[in-house]
Amino acid sequence: MVLLRSVPPPTEGVRHEQGETTAVLDGKGLGTGTLYVAETRLSWFDGSGMGFSLEYPTISLHAISRDLSAYPQEHLYVMVNAKLNDEMQENAHDDEEDEDEEDDCEGITEIRFVPSDKAALESMFSAMCECQALHPDPDDEDSNGDFDGDEYDVEEAAPEHGQGDIPSFCTYEEGVSGLRAEGQATLQRLEGMLAQSVANTFHMAGVRTDETNGEFDDGVEVDAGSTVAGQFEDADIDH
Amino acid sequence: MCPLCGWDVLVSYLICGTLHSVDQYLNIKLTDISVTDPEKYPHMLSVKNCFIRGSVVRYVQLPADEVDTQLLQDAARKEALQQKQ
């Protein structure tokens, strides 16, 4: 359940706390309170104990909205990948005012956090980005069907390291060790072809070949000579 | 810097924008975004930049004439193998 009515605001790992912040849930104003961007969850409470918390895996998207013609105040926009009921009130459902936003096929909830201090929006946004990165999906449920099944043989894969959407690959050594003689000969032939094609390729703008990607920050240098070889290791493996 | 940064991408047929950055979980930051279906997501009209959680991204459409798919696949494989080790 995404909406937790009685959970208190987090006290640890709070990356950003923003008071005097109005919360608007699917177009319905909930009053003014305090937003807590914590490492464990995103919470908002109005001071009287009423509020809600969101788990980061349910937050599809967040952004800063500055276009006053679309909404009269600058705010932090949050899209939740779930349909939230207004559980903060014990009464019967009275959140019928914005029907046009409730019938999305996926079931989403749009929340706006409107701070009185607009200068805090960047910090709120950044804090959410950081906390989102702390909550990657634990299971590689997505099969990444866009990849060609012949090239990414996950049957041979070692246990994944929880890299989220990145599929697991077996290492070059694991693959080669399973090849018969003719398989290895095929591998060598394909490696040669690939090495030749890589060597002849111009450095396409923006496409990294052997530079370390700072974004991934693992400090590993990619060696084209050793890593291209493992691509076809499954070509002749008996399954 | 990510090799795709600066390119215009379309995410899950919903949001088009310029790819600012992406991390290992495929969390995406887009700038100068536009929404393909404003009627469905009216509140997004006022947003310039956004952060999209990687797990909800179904697919990212890249400009076909700017991408050498073979090179991109090679780069992705190398990166994945390196991360595996």
Side-chain angles (χ1 to χ4, degrees), chain A residues 24-42:
Chain A
V24 182
L25 193 148
D26 273 342
K28 178 176 180 181
L30 303 178
T32 300
T34 301
L35 177 70
Y36 301 88
V37 184
E39 294 170 356
T40 52
R41 56 187 183 272
L42 184 74

Side-chain angles (χ1 to χ4, degrees), chain A residues 7-69:
Chain A
V7 175
T11 54
E12 293 181 354
V14 178
R15 295 291 185 97
H16 187 94
E17 180 179 326
Q18 189 64 35
E20 296 186 3
T21 298
T22 301
V24 182
L25 193 148
D26 273 342
K28 178 176 180 181
L30 303 178
T32 300
T34 301
L35 177 70
Y36 301 88
V37 184
E39 294 170 356
T40 52
R41 56 187 183 272
L42 184 74
S43 303
W44 179 88
F45 291 88
D46 72 349
S48 71
M50 186 182 83
F52 62 90
S53 287
L54 300 172
E55 303 292 328
Y56 287 104
T58 66
I59 298 176
S60 303
L61 174 157
H62 66 276
I64 296 175
S65 171
R66 298 195 186 274
D67 185 356
L68 300 182
S69 63

Side-chain angles (χ1 to χ4, degrees), chain A residues 182-195 232 236:
Chain A
E182 59 185 32
Q184 297 207 18
T186 302
L187 175 61
Q188 288 178 4
R189 176 171 57 83
L190 292 173
E191 287 177 3
M193 289 169 55
L194 193 58
F232 297 99
D236 289 297

Side-chain angles (χ1 to χ4, degrees), chain A residues 65 112 132 135 206 215 231, chain B residues 3 22 43 46 53 58 77:
Chain A
S65 171
R112 299 198 204 98
Q132 271 281 30
H135 295 263
E215 191 73 28
Q231 297 184 36
Chain B
V22 62
H43 298 307
S46 62
R53 183 179 171 81
R58 294 208 184 117
R77 286 195 203 100

Side-chain angles (χ1 to χ4, degrees), chain A:
Chain A
M1 178 61 70
V2 173
L3 198 58
L4 309 171
R5 183 165 59 94
S6 59
V7 175
T11 54
E12 293 181 354
V14 178
R15 295 291 185 97
H16 187 94
E17 180 179 326
Q18 189 64 35
E20 296 186 3
T21 298
T22 301
V24 182
L25 193 148
D26 273 342
K28 178 176 180 181
L30 303 178
T32 300
T34 301
L35 177 70
Y36 301 88
V37 184
E39 294 170 356
T40 52
R41 56 187 183 272
L42 184 74
S43 303
W44 179 88
F45 291 88
D46 72 349
S48 71
M50 186 182 83
F52 62 90
S53 287
L54 300 172
E55 303 292 328
Y56 287 104
T58 66
I59 298 176
S60 303
L61 174 157
H62 66 276
I64 296 175
S65 171
R66 298 195 186 274
D67 185 356
L68 300 182
S69 63
Y71 189 80
Q73 292 197 66
E74 294 181 337
H75 61 276
L76 183 69
Y77 172 91
V78 176
M79 179 186 291
V80 181
N81 190 24
K83 204 57 209 155
L84 303 180
N85 296 317
D86 186 3
E87 294 192 348
M88 287 161 289
Q89 299 177 6
E90 296 284 5
N91 332 340
H93 304 292
D94 55 3
D95 52 346
E96 304 282 326
E97 305 172 44
D98 295 289
E99 286 287 348
D100 55 336
E101 293 159 3
E102 292 182 354
D103 292 330
D104 294 307
C105 56
E106 296 178 346
I108 67 163
T109 301
E110 296 176 306
I111 305 177
R112 299 198 204 98
F113 295 106
V114 191
S116 61
D117 178 11
K118 305 309 179 189
L121 282 171
E122 289 289 346
S123 299
M124 294 161 67
F125 177 84
S126 298
M128 281 196 63
C129 290
E130 294 170 6
C131 294
Q132 271 281 30
L134 299 174
H135 295 263
D137 275 8
D139 298 322
D140 191 13
E141 299 172 355
D142 193 335
S143 61
N144 281 312
D146 287 336
F147 290 115
D148 184 8
D150 293 336
E151 293 176 330
Y152 297 94
D153 186 5
V154 293
E155 293 181 40
E156 299 276 325
E160 62 177 316
H161 296 290
Q163 289 293 335
D165 292 334
I166 300 175
S168 300
F169 297 91
C170 54
T171 64
Y172 173 66
E173 290 71 27
E174 292 171 359
V176 169
S177 64
L179 290 177
R180 299 187 303 268
E182 59 185 32
Q184 297 207 18
T186 302
L187 175 61
Q188 288 178 4
R189 176 171 57 83
L190 292 173
E191 287 177 3
M193 289 169 55
L194 193 58
Q196 189 65 24
S197 70
V198 170
N200 291 339
T201 304
F202 60 90
H203 184 73
M204 181 116 183
V207 179
R208 176 179 55 82
T209 52
D210 52 10
E211 297 171 337
T212 300
N213 186 345
E215 191 73 28
F216 289 95
D217 198 30
D218 58 6
V220 178
E221 291 294 328
V222 178
D223 182 359
S226 67
T227 54
V228 295
Q231 297 184 36
F232 297 99
E233 70 272 15
D234 61 340
D236 289 297
I237 296 176
D238 285 332
H239 294 285

